[in-house]
Amino acid sequence: MTTLLSMIRHSAAGLGALLQAFPMVFDTLRWAGAAYLAYLGIKSWRSPVYDNPVDAPRAIELSTQSGALFRQGVLVAASNPKAILFAAAFLPQFIHPELPKLPQFAILLATFAVIEISWYVVYAGSGQRLATYLRRAAVLKAFNRLTGGVFIGFAGVMAAVRN
């Protein structure tokens, strides 16, 4: 949520135009994002699987207390330069040049925030249901391999795509 709001603010400030004007900046962000996705994929693939379900919540609790999951989410979202370009291309069509810009961006920000929070509620509910299945070591191992492979695949696509 905070990353989306940050992207919209940066888009409003002209970062999208900067990325379009200087492709080297976009490429640098793209490569950094691809490297980070590959790192997350390898980390997920190699994540430990607990045979005793009592041990897993304690490990998850420790990582959430340190804020590691939040930082990881922010880094993943912030390393996606295409989201900034999307905001830069999408938002201006809803801005009327003759009207004050700040209230218009405030309305767009509020609308995006409501939509984003609604999806987070859906994700949280789905994650809660999925958690009951992930308590089994074999399922969790397969899930870690699947998500790790997907992240590595996305990293490859991000690195390979130009423009």
Side-chain angles (χ1 to χ4, degrees), residues 60-68:
I60 292 170
E61 181 182 327
L62 290 174
S63 68
T64 56
Q65 284 177 352
S66 67

Side-chain angles (χ1 to χ4, degrees), residues 56-81:
R58 190 175 326 128
I60 292 170
E61 181 182 327
L62 290 174
S63 68
T64 56
Q65 284 177 352
S66 67
L69 294 177
F70 178 77
R71 283 192 303 275
Q72 182 179 357
V74 168
L75 282 173
V76 168
S79 65
N80 184 0

Side-chain angles (χ1 to χ4, degrees), residues 1-7 33 36-37 39-40 43 63-64 66-81 83 116 120 123 151:
M1 174 69 166
T2 57
T3 305
L4 174 67
L5 298 178
S6 175
M7 285 182 190
Y36 189 65
L37 281 174
Y39 164 76
L40 290 177
K43 186 176 173 184
S63 68
T64 56
S66 67
L69 294 177
F70 178 77
R71 283 192 303 275
Q72 182 179 357
V74 168
L75 282 173
V76 168
S79 65
N80 184 0
E116 195 74 10
Y120 288 155
Y123 294 151
F151 276 148

